[in-house]
PDB file of all heavy atoms in Angstrom:
ATOM      1  N   HIS Z  16       3.385 359.055  34.981  1.00 97.00           N
ATOM      2  CA  HIS Z  16       3.442 357.707  34.624  1.00 97.00           C
ATOM      3  C   HIS Z  16       2.143 357.111  34.309  1.00 97.00           C
ATOM      4  O   HIS Z  16       2.007 355.894  34.585  1.00 97.00           O
ATOM      5  CB  HIS Z  16       4.311 356.850  35.690  1.00 97.00           C
ATOM      6  CG  HIS Z  16       3.802 356.952  37.030  1.00 97.00           C
ATOM      7  ND1 HIS Z  16       4.603 357.210  38.172  1.00 97.00           N
ATOM      8  CD2 HIS Z  16       2.538 356.932  37.515  1.00 97.00           C
ATOM      9  CE1 HIS Z  16       3.838 357.097  39.349  1.00 97.00           C
ATOM     10  NE2 HIS Z  16       2.652 356.958  38.874  1.00 97.00           N
ATOM     11  N   VAL Z  17       1.225 357.892  33.723  1.00 96.00           N
ATOM     12  CA  VAL Z  17      -0.073 357.337  33.492  1.00 96.00           C
ATOM     13  C   VAL Z  17       0.007 356.050  32.669  1.00 96.00           C
ATOM     14  O   VAL Z  17       0.635 355.865  31.667  1.00 96.00           O
ATOM     15  CB  VAL Z  17      -0.747 358.356  32.444  1.00 96.00           C
ATOM     16  CG1 VAL Z  17      -2.258 357.982  32.205  1.00 96.00           C
ATOM     17  CG2 VAL Z  17      -0.669 359.770  33.093  1.00 96.00           C
ATOM     18  N   PRO Z  18      -0.747 354.959  33.171  1.00 95.00           N
ATOM     19  CA  PRO Z  18      -0.757 353.648  32.528  1.00 95.00           C
ATOM     20  C   PRO Z  18      -1.142 353.696  31.132  1.00 95.00           C
ATOM     21  O   PRO Z  18      -0.559 353.023  30.335  1.00 95.00           O
ATOM     22  CB  PRO Z  18      -1.634 352.815  33.428  1.00 95.00           C
ATOM     23  CG  PRO Z  18      -2.376 353.724  34.322  1.00 95.00           C
ATOM     24  CD  PRO Z  18      -1.481 355.002  34.423  1.00 95.00           C
ATOM     25  N   TYR Z  60       9.406 356.411  41.907  1.00 98.00           N
ATOM     26  CA  TYR Z  60       8.063 356.141  41.494  1.00 98.00           C
ATOM     27  C   TYR Z  60       7.337 355.473  42.566  1.00 98.00           C
ATOM     28  O   TYR Z  60       7.756 355.345  43.704  1.00 98.00           O
ATOM     29  CB  TYR Z  60       8.188 355.028  40.325  1.00 98.00           C
ATOM     30  CG  TYR Z  60       8.393 353.680  40.720  1.00 98.00           C
ATOM     31  CD1 TYR Z  60       7.320 352.649  40.736  1.00 98.00           C
ATOM     32  CD2 TYR Z  60       9.555 353.269  41.275  1.00 98.00           C
ATOM     33  CE1 TYR Z  60       7.453 351.380  41.093  1.00 98.00           C
ATOM     34  CE2 TYR Z  60       9.727 351.929  41.819  1.00 98.00           C
ATOM     35  CZ  TYR Z  60       8.711 351.063  41.682  1.00 98.00           C
ATOM     36  OH  TYR Z  60       8.960 349.726  42.189  1.00 98.00           O
ATOM     37  N   ASN Z  61       5.915 355.282  42.337  1.00 98.00           N
ATOM     38  CA  ASN Z  61       5.228 354.565  43.316  1.00 98.00           C
ATOM     39  C   ASN Z  61       4.607 353.244  42.703  1.00 98.00           C
ATOM     40  O   ASN Z  61       4.355 353.136  41.556  1.00 98.00           O
ATOM     41  CB  ASN Z  61       4.116 355.509  44.013  1.00 98.00           C
ATOM     42  CG  ASN Z  61       2.976 355.763  43.027  1.00 98.00           C
ATOM     43  OD1 ASN Z  61       3.132 356.558  42.084  1.00 98.00           O
ATOM     44  ND2 ASN Z  61       1.881 355.057  43.235  1.00 98.00           N
ATOM     45  N   ASP Z  62       4.486 352.281  43.590  1.00 97.00           N
ATOM     46  CA  ASP Z  62       3.878 351.067  43.301  1.00 97.00           C
ATOM     47  C   ASP Z  62       2.361 351.218  43.452  1.00 97.00           C
ATOM     48  O   ASP Z  62       1.908 351.927  44.440  1.00 97.00           O
ATOM     49  CB  ASP Z  62       4.395 349.984  44.168  1.00 97.00           C
ATOM     50  CG  ASP Z  62       3.702 348.649  43.969  1.00 97.00           C
ATOM     51  OD1 ASP Z  62       4.181 347.896  43.069  1.00 97.00           O
ATOM     52  OD2 ASP Z  62       2.871 348.310  44.730  1.00 97.00           O
ATOM     53  N   HIS Z  63       1.577 350.679  42.556  1.00 95.00           N
ATOM     54  CA  HIS Z  63       0.080 350.769  42.597  1.00 95.00           C
ATOM     55  C   HIS Z  63      -0.485 349.519  43.136  1.00 95.00           C
ATOM     56  O   HIS Z  63      -1.162 348.782  42.342  1.00 95.00           O
ATOM     57  CB  HIS Z  63      -0.456 351.267  41.309  1.00 95.00           C
ATOM     58  CG  HIS Z  63       0.242 352.623  40.811  1.00 95.00           C
ATOM     59  ND1 HIS Z  63       1.402 352.510  40.145  1.00 95.00           N
ATOM     60  CD2 HIS Z  63      -0.281 353.754  40.860  1.00 95.00           C
ATOM     61  CE1 HIS Z  63       1.700 353.752  39.864  1.00 95.00           C
ATOM     62  NE2 HIS Z  63       0.720 354.613  40.228  1.00 95.00           N
ATOM     63  N   ASP Z 128       5.747 347.969  38.399  1.00 97.00           N
ATOM     64  CA  ASP Z 128       4.599 348.195  37.557  1.00 97.00           C
ATOM     65  C   ASP Z 128       4.713 349.415  36.750  1.00 97.00           C
ATOM     66  O   ASP Z 128       5.849 349.861  36.450  1.00 97.00           O
ATOM     67  CB  ASP Z 128       3.294 348.329  38.518  1.00 97.00           C
ATOM     68  CG  ASP Z 128       3.232 349.484  39.358  1.00 97.00           C
ATOM     69  OD1 ASP Z 128       4.006 350.494  39.188  1.00 97.00           O
ATOM     70  OD2 ASP Z 128       2.380 349.569  40.272  1.00 97.00           O
ATOM     71  N   HIS Z 129       3.622 349.869  36.059  1.00 97.00           N
ATOM     72  CA  HIS Z 129       3.639 350.985  35.145  1.00 97.00           C
ATOM     73  C   HIS Z 129       4.297 352.207  35.686  1.00 97.00           C
ATOM     74  O   HIS Z 129       4.885 353.016  34.917  1.00 97.00           O
ATOM     75  CB  HIS Z 129       2.210 351.251  34.673  1.00 97.00           C
ATOM     76  CG  HIS Z 129       1.336 351.966  35.613  1.00 97.00           C
ATOM     77  ND1 HIS Z 129       0.463 351.138  36.501  1.00 97.00           N
ATOM     78  CD2 HIS Z 129       1.188 353.154  36.095  1.00 97.00           C
ATOM     79  CE1 HIS Z 129      -0.161 351.906  37.378  1.00 97.00           C
ATOM     80  NE2 HIS Z 129       0.297 353.141  37.035  1.00 97.00           N
ATOM     81  N   GLY Z 130       4.216 352.271  37.031  1.00 98.00           N
ATOM     82  CA  GLY Z 130       4.868 353.558  37.679  1.00 98.00           C
ATOM     83  C   GLY Z 130       6.275 353.698  37.203  1.00 98.00           C
ATOM     84  O   GLY Z 130       6.798 354.712  37.163  1.00 98.00           O
ATOM     85  N   VAL Z 159       2.511 356.571  48.149  1.00 98.00           N
ATOM     86  CA  VAL Z 159       1.586 357.647  47.879  1.00 98.00           C
ATOM     87  C   VAL Z 159       0.174 357.142  47.850  1.00 98.00           C
ATOM     88  O   VAL Z 159      -0.768 357.923  47.568  1.00 98.00           O
ATOM     89  CB  VAL Z 159       1.933 358.547  46.703  1.00 98.00           C
ATOM     90  CG1 VAL Z 159       3.278 359.197  46.841  1.00 98.00           C
ATOM     91  CG2 VAL Z 159       1.852 357.692  45.449  1.00 98.00           C
ATOM     92  N   THR Z 195       8.734 360.723  39.252  1.00 98.00           N
ATOM     93  CA  THR Z 195       7.539 360.413  38.314  1.00 98.00           C
ATOM     94  C   THR Z 195       6.200 360.566  39.036  1.00 98.00           C
ATOM     95  O   THR Z 195       6.109 360.812  40.190  1.00 98.00           O
ATOM     96  CB  THR Z 195       7.708 358.943  37.891  1.00 98.00           C
ATOM     97  OG1 THR Z 195       7.394 358.023  38.784  1.00 98.00           O
ATOM     98  CG2 THR Z 195       9.099 358.640  37.323  1.00 98.00           C
ATOM     99  N   GLY Z 196       5.130 360.499  38.200  1.00 98.00           N
ATOM    100  CA  GLY Z 196       3.788 360.540  38.794  1.00 98.00           C
ATOM    101  C   GLY Z 196       3.229 361.879  38.513  1.00 98.00           C
ATOM    102  O   GLY Z 196       3.862 362.757  37.832  1.00 98.00           O
ATOM    103  N   GLY Z 197       1.972 362.140  38.894  1.00 96.00           N
ATOM    104  CA  GLY Z 197       1.307 363.382  38.679  1.00 96.00           C
ATOM    105  C   GLY Z 197       0.864 363.600  37.172  1.00 96.00           C
ATOM    106  O   GLY Z 197       1.004 362.649  36.470  1.00 96.00           O
ATOM    107  N   HIS Z 200      -4.569 365.073  39.101  1.00 98.00           N
ATOM    108  CA  HIS Z 200      -5.593 364.101  38.747  1.00 98.00           C
ATOM    109  C   HIS Z 200      -6.191 363.595  39.998  1.00 98.00           C
ATOM    110  O   HIS Z 200      -5.600 363.391  41.051  1.00 98.00           O
ATOM    111  CB  HIS Z 200      -5.002 362.954  37.994  1.00 98.00           C
ATOM    112  CG  HIS Z 200      -3.956 362.023  38.555  1.00 98.00           C
ATOM    113  ND1 HIS Z 200      -2.821 362.382  39.215  1.00 98.00           N
ATOM    114  CD2 HIS Z 200      -3.962 360.737  38.652  1.00 98.00           C
ATOM    115  CE1 HIS Z 200      -2.137 361.436  39.606  1.00 98.00           C
ATOM    116  NE2 HIS Z 200      -2.796 360.362  39.294  1.00 98.00           N
ATOM    117  N   LEU Z 202      -8.710 360.204  40.680  1.00 98.00           N
ATOM    118  CA  LEU Z 202      -9.292 358.974  40.124  1.00 98.00           C
ATOM    119  C   LEU Z 202     -10.561 358.448  40.747  1.00 98.00           C
ATOM    120  O   LEU Z 202     -11.151 357.443  40.265  1.00 98.00           O
ATOM    121  CB  LEU Z 202      -8.231 357.880  39.994  1.00 98.00           C
ATOM    122  CG  LEU Z 202      -6.888 358.179  39.305  1.00 98.00           C
ATOM    123  CD1 LEU Z 202      -5.891 357.063  39.570  1.00 98.00           C
ATOM    124  CD2 LEU Z 202      -7.142 358.521  37.866  1.00 98.00           C
ATOM    125  N   GLU Z 244      -5.150 362.123  43.802  1.00 98.00           N
ATOM    126  CA  GLU Z 244      -3.953 361.461  43.365  1.00 98.00           C
ATOM    127  C   GLU Z 244      -2.784 362.323  42.914  1.00 98.00           C
ATOM    128  O   GLU Z 244      -1.737 361.891  42.548  1.00 98.00           O
ATOM    129  CB  GLU Z 244      -4.262 360.502  42.127  1.00 98.00           C
ATOM    130  CG  GLU Z 244      -4.905 359.130  42.687  1.00 98.00           C
ATOM    131  CD  GLU Z 244      -6.139 359.294  43.514  1.00 98.00           C
ATOM    132  OE1 GLU Z 244      -7.159 359.815  42.997  1.00 98.00           O
ATOM    133  OE2 GLU Z 244      -6.220 358.849  44.641  1.00 98.00           O
ATOM    134  N   GLU Z 247       0.914 362.424  44.314  1.00 98.00           N
ATOM    135  CA  GLU Z 247       2.046 361.792  43.690  1.00 98.00           C
ATOM    136  C   GLU Z 247       3.297 362.778  43.439  1.00 98.00           C
ATOM    137  O   GLU Z 247       4.442 362.406  43.389  1.00 98.00           O
ATOM    138  CB  GLU Z 247       1.709 361.117  42.328  1.00 98.00           C
ATOM    139  CG  GLU Z 247       0.891 359.912  42.520  1.00 98.00           C
ATOM    140  CD  GLU Z 247       0.691 359.118  41.248  1.00 98.00           C
ATOM    141  OE1 GLU Z 247       0.967 359.633  40.043  1.00 98.00           O
ATOM    142  OE2 GLU Z 247       0.206 357.986  41.336  1.00 98.00           O
ATOM    143  N   MET Z 250       6.962 363.089  44.750  1.00 98.00           N
ATOM    144  CA  MET Z 250       8.044 362.351  44.187  1.00 98.00           C
ATOM    145  C   MET Z 250       8.940 363.143  43.251  1.00 98.00           C
ATOM    146  O   MET Z 250      10.151 362.810  43.217  1.00 98.00           O
ATOM    147  CB  MET Z 250       7.587 361.041  43.374  1.00 98.00           C
ATOM    148  CG  MET Z 250       6.851 359.985  44.435  1.00 98.00           C
ATOM    149  SD  MET Z 250       6.415 358.659  43.551  1.00 98.00           S
ATOM    150  CE  MET Z 250       5.061 359.095  42.707  1.00 98.00           C
TER     151      MET Z 250
ATOM    152  N   TYR S 109      -7.248 352.111  43.917  1.00 96.00           N
ATOM    153  CA  TYR S 109      -6.382 351.228  43.070  1.00 96.00           C
ATOM    154  C   TYR S 109      -6.704 349.751  43.436  1.00 96.00           C
ATOM    155  O   TYR S 109      -6.432 348.879  42.556  1.00 96.00           O
ATOM    156  CB  TYR S 109      -4.903 351.400  43.539  1.00 96.00           C
ATOM    157  CG  TYR S 109      -4.370 352.796  43.147  1.00 96.00           C
ATOM    158  CD1 TYR S 109      -3.960 353.751  44.028  1.00 96.00           C
ATOM    159  CD2 TYR S 109      -4.276 353.042  41.708  1.00 96.00           C
ATOM    160  CE1 TYR S 109      -3.470 354.948  43.609  1.00 96.00           C
ATOM    161  CE2 TYR S 109      -3.830 354.261  41.389  1.00 96.00           C
ATOM    162  CZ  TYR S 109      -3.376 355.198  42.279  1.00 96.00           C
ATOM    163  OH  TYR S 109      -2.950 356.515  41.868  1.00 96.00           O
TER     164      TYR S 109
HETATM  165 FE1  FE2 Y 329       0.896 356.735  40.058  1.00 73.51          FE
END
Side-chain angles (χ1 to χ4, degrees):
Chain Z
H16 58 222
V17 187
Y60 76 110
N61 70 285
D62 177 82
H63 305 78
D128 70 12
H129 68 267
V159 294
T195 73
H200 65 305
L202 301 176
E244 279 63 57
E247 288 188 343
M250 295 183 287
Chain S
Y109 292 117

